[in-house]
Amino acid sequence: PLLMAKAAVLTFLPILTWLPSYPVKQYLFSDVVSGLSTGVVQLPQGLAYAMLAAVPPVYGLYSSFYPVLLYTFFGTSRHISVGTFAVISLMIGGVAVREAPDSMFYTLPANGSNISAVLDVEARDAKRVQVAIVLTTMVGIIQIALGLLRFGFVAIYLTEPLVRGFTTAASVHVVISQLKYLLGVKTQRFSGPLSAIYSVKAVFSDITSANITTLILGLACIVFLYGVKDINERFKKKLPVPIPGEIIVVIVSTGVSYGLSLSEGHKVDVVGKIPTGLLPPAAPEFSLLPNLVTDSFAVAIVGFSMGISLAKIFALKHGYSVDGNQELIALGLCNFVSSFFKTFAITCSMSRSLVQESTGGKTQIAGLLASLVVLLVVVAIGFVFQPLPQTALAAIIMVNLLGMFKQFRDIPTLWKTSKIELAIWFVAFVASVLLGLDYGLLVAIAFAILTVIYRTQSPKSAILGHVPGTGMYCDLEEYEEAVEYEGIKIFHSNSSIYFANCDLYVNALKKKTGVNPEHLQAALKARKKQKEKVNYNHASPSKICVKGVTSEIVSNNHLMEEQRNCQSGEVHSVSDSEQSVFLKPPGDVTSIILDWTPVNFIDTVGAKAIKQEYAAVDVQVVIAGCSIGSTWSGLQVWLSTVAVSLEETIPSP
């Protein structure tokens, strides 16, 4: 029991497995440099991504401190940087705007004048913060529950083309949402289906009122940031640490805004009030919960899939392992606990993780130091960034998404390798752009599952033949040397057999083997009917003679007489259908072997479909290569069939 308790504690608190043996001399300096570099990037991204989440910027700083601190203790990855992330922030912002739209907060002036209604920004932001916090709490609960139930495998249903198409669509949404900040126009924020189209229409319909100062400053920030990123990429092997372009933009644009009074003199929108210090913990407003359950699942799954995918990449590169279930619990705790301190949902950030790893980070001590950098700003110098122009934050967001737009290069690659995966990518992208990220994700997952059903419904089937001198059985149509055994058909299909494809399997079996039970049963019924007619008439048995062929329904006593009748032209007429049945023999196939080597499972519907077709005909159907353990539930229905190997069924060559 003591060992089990120790193992449970070490699993739940992975920091205890590496911190006691932390090599200070080898790792500390690298972790300090990495932590400071990551913190410098995390600070402006926290401010910027709060805009995406539709909450005041200071909440982005809170979300860049508490979760990062907690992940140090509970996470299993040594290199990823958790915190605010564009896609998750945008999903949260969509929910916040939907639940607290601007239209709810317009108020008339108290003096009753004819002035139009005024938007109560403080009340609106307070409501959106409540929505974001409750959503984050629910996301944390879902992730913790999935982790405790060992559901870390759920991320496999988000196949890579789906995730890349989805994140590319999210990038489109993010860029569209930042256009109004870059141009300095005042438009409402849309959410739900077609929100991207409505947002673009609103921005360009009001483009004549764009603030030129805001636009010039934003474009200058974009050009500078793009140049810095290009330099960092070109000279990453020579630079000791990447040039911190984001923090340079924040400092310089804040200084320019303060020195030139851009907010008062040129009507440039700035960050505004940033409270100093941390807020005391408070319970979320759970009355908002019923409307957020579906959105919570979407954010929880997408957030986890982002985190675990990057964690596995770095773990493989540096030779250690990550636990998917513990990662779920870690992210869940980061979201759940932090939500009581006014944060919104977080996950792993690709750009910050690359900074943390490329600057020499060895452990999550780097992440801990990055969170302390943010804490310093929140507690002591947050007020310094109040003049920061929002257009500078929009520029930071847009440039950070350039890597995601490179995912459009997937299209020609997938076109060459897999048309189905290209369809998944395209559906995920289009559905997420047009329907929104929440509905788009559901449509993409449903389509991905349908592609699996489609693939199993369209398996490749073949008749196998033996290659002389070997133990191999190959497709007769592809291998000229393969030959069949007389009277035996070996049918192969590379798919499992279940309710969705059993009819297709049986039809392919009939077509490939040439043995159609319906035709054989019709022939038997026709023979029986003819025999009853002969017995009823008590006359000389009728005989069908064509080209000297004599049917064998009559007794040998009448054989000579019938032959003479045939030779003299006395032929009894029958219908064309009966004639075709009697003249065409049922074939020389006596056995059909079903090669179930690739069959992972067969359900009762599939077993019944095959049994019902071949139970009443005089053709032996046997199974080869059957995995009894995986198909037993279906085979129990097929009591008349036995599983045998190919060697037991087919005579030796």
Side-chain angles (χ1 to χ4, degrees), residues 316-399:
L316 182 64
K317 181 178 179 180
H318 293 278
Y320 63 94
S321 61
V322 292
D323 184 347
N325 295 307
Q326 179 59 29
E327 284 296 298
L328 261 175
I329 294 174
L331 288 175
L333 287 171
C334 290
N335 284 316
F336 178 74
V337 176
S338 301
S339 67
F340 289 87
F341 296 89
K342 310 295 185 182
T343 68
F344 55 86
I346 55 87
T347 186
C348 168
S349 166
M350 183 181 299
S351 58
R352 291 197 308 273
S353 298
L354 290 173
V355 170
Q356 184 167 318
E357 189 260 351
S358 63
T359 52
K362 305 296 184 183
T363 66
Q364 282 300 332
I365 294 295
L368 177 64
L369 293 174
S371 69
L372 295 180
V373 171
V374 177
L375 176 64
L376 175 65
V377 174
V378 173
V379 173
I381 59 175
F383 65 92
V384 172
F385 297 103
Q386 291 180 173
L388 174 62
Q390 291 185 359
T391 186
L393 296 178
I396 292 173
I397 293 172
M398 289 182 173
V399 175

Side-chain angles (χ1 to χ4, degrees), residues 105-187:
F105 301 95
Y106 280 104
T107 58
L108 294 174
N111 56 14
S113 62
N114 294 328
I115 301 176
S116 59
V118 178
L119 177 64
D120 189 346
V121 176
E122 290 188 6
R124 181 201 65 184
D125 288 348
K127 183 69 173 180
R128 289 179 177 178
V129 167
Q130 290 179 352
V131 173
I133 291 172
V134 174
L135 180 67
T136 302
T137 305
M138 190 63 190
V139 168
I141 293 173
I142 292 171
Q143 289 176 332
I144 293 172
L146 292 176
L148 294 175
L149 294 173
R150 319 301 290 175
F151 266 58
F153 66 88
V154 295
I156 65 176
Y157 291 101
L158 297 178
T159 178
E160 183 179 0
L162 187 153
V163 172
R164 293 175 72 85
F166 175 80
T167 52
T168 306
S171 303
V172 173
H173 278 283
V174 170
V175 169
I176 290 173
S177 70
Q178 296 307 296
L179 286 176
K180 65 177 184 179
Y181 298 109
L182 182 67
L183 297 172
V185 298
K186 307 290 185 181
T187 63

Side-chain angles (χ1 to χ4, degrees), residues 533-576:
K533 182 178 179 182
V534 170
N535 293 335
Y536 178 78
N537 291 335
H538 296 288
S540 55
S542 60
K543 202 66 186 166
I544 303 172
C545 301
V546 178
K547 295 183 181 180
V549 179
T550 305
S551 177
E552 297 180 353
I553 355 182
V554 296
S555 63
N556 292 332
N557 296 334
H558 300 283
L559 181 58
M560 295 303 294
E561 182 180 352
E562 293 303 325
Q563 287 179 344
R564 287 194 298 271
N565 291 338
C566 288
Q567 291 171 1
S568 63
E570 299 176 7
V571 180
H572 295 272
S573 63
V574 294
S575 65
D576 292 340

Side-chain angles (χ1 to χ4, degrees), residues 234-276:
R234 289 175 180 269
F235 303 101
K236 60 183 178 182
K237 294 183 179 179
K238 297 181 180 180
L239 293 172
V241 295
I243 300 173
E246 287 92 346
I247 197 65
I248 293 174
V249 163
V250 167
I251 294 173
V252 172
S253 61
T254 301
V256 170
S257 175
Y258 179 77
L260 299 179
S261 300
L262 294 182
S263 178
E264 294 81 9
H266 299 275
K267 305 300 180 182
V268 174
D269 292 327
V270 296
V271 167
K273 183 180 179 180
I274 298 180
T276 301

Side-chain angles (χ1 to χ4, degrees), residues 355-614:
V355 170
Q356 184 167 318
E357 189 260 351
S358 63
T359 52
K362 305 296 184 183
T363 66
Q364 282 300 332
I365 294 295
L368 177 64
L369 293 174
S371 69
L372 295 180
V373 171
V374 177
L375 176 64
L376 175 65
V377 174
V378 173
V379 173
I381 59 175
F383 65 92
V384 172
F385 297 103
Q386 291 180 173
L388 174 62
Q390 291 185 359
T391 186
L393 296 178
I396 292 173
I397 293 172
M398 289 182 173
V399 175
N400 275 323
L401 292 173
L402 288 177
M404 288 193 176
F405 282 113
K406 292 179 181 178
Q407 293 177 152
F408 279 111
R409 299 173 183 173
D410 295 346
I411 295 176
T413 303
L414 292 175
W415 176 262
K416 297 177 182 177
T417 57
S418 174
K419 302 288 193 303
I420 292 180
E421 290 190 337
L422 175 60
I424 293 174
W425 193 102
F426 190 74
V427 168
F429 175 77
V430 174
S432 299
V433 168
L434 296 180
L435 302 179
L437 298 181
D438 45 4
Y439 293 117
L441 180 63
L442 293 176
V443 170
I445 293 175
F447 182 78
I449 294 174
L450 287 177
T451 61
V452 176
I453 297 175
Y454 169 76
R455 293 186 188 191
T456 59
Q457 283 189 322
S458 305
K460 179 183 178 182
S461 57
I463 295 296
L464 304 184
H466 179 252
V467 180
T470 70
M472 298 174 58
Y473 294 86
C474 302
D475 187 353
L476 291 172
E477 296 179 357
E478 296 183 0
Y479 296 87
E480 295 180 356
E481 297 181 359
V483 294
E484 288 186 273
Y485 290 101
E486 184 178 355
I488 299 175
K489 294 285 186 179
I490 308 173
F491 179 75
H492 170 90
S493 180
N494 60 352
S495 173
S496 297
I497 308 165
Y498 64 111
F499 65 92
N501 70 350
C502 60
D503 289 340
L504 299 174
Y505 181 90
V506 172
N507 291 336
L509 176 59
K510 295 176 186 177
K511 182 178 179 181
K512 291 287 185 179
T513 61
V515 179
N516 192 320
E518 295 175 357
H519 293 172
L520 295 180
Q521 292 176 13
L524 291 174
K525 289 180 180 179
R527 288 172 184 245
K528 184 178 179 181
K529 183 178 180 181
Q530 183 66 19
K531 186 175 180 180
E532 291 175 351
K533 182 178 179 182
V534 170
N535 293 335
Y536 178 78
N537 291 335
H538 296 288
S540 55
S542 60
K543 202 66 186 166
I544 303 172
C545 301
V546 178
K547 295 183 181 180
V549 179
T550 305
S551 177
E552 297 180 353
I553 355 182
V554 296
S555 63
N556 292 332
N557 296 334
H558 300 283
L559 181 58
M560 295 303 294
E561 182 180 352
E562 293 303 325
Q563 287 179 344
R564 287 194 298 271
N565 291 338
C566 288
Q567 291 171 1
S568 63
E570 299 176 7
V571 180
H572 295 272
S573 63
V574 294
S575 65
D576 292 340
S577 60
E578 288 180 342
Q579 201 176 66
S580 63
V581 170
F582 279 92
L583 293 179
K584 185 177 181 180
D588 57 355
V589 178
T590 59
S591 299
I592 295 176
I593 300 173
L594 304 180
D595 178 17
W596 280 4
T597 305
V599 176
N600 293 322
F601 70 92
I602 176 173
D603 65 2
T604 57
V605 178
K608 286 179 180 178
I610 301 174
K611 179 184 176 183
Q612 288 172 355
E613 290 288 345
Y614 290 92

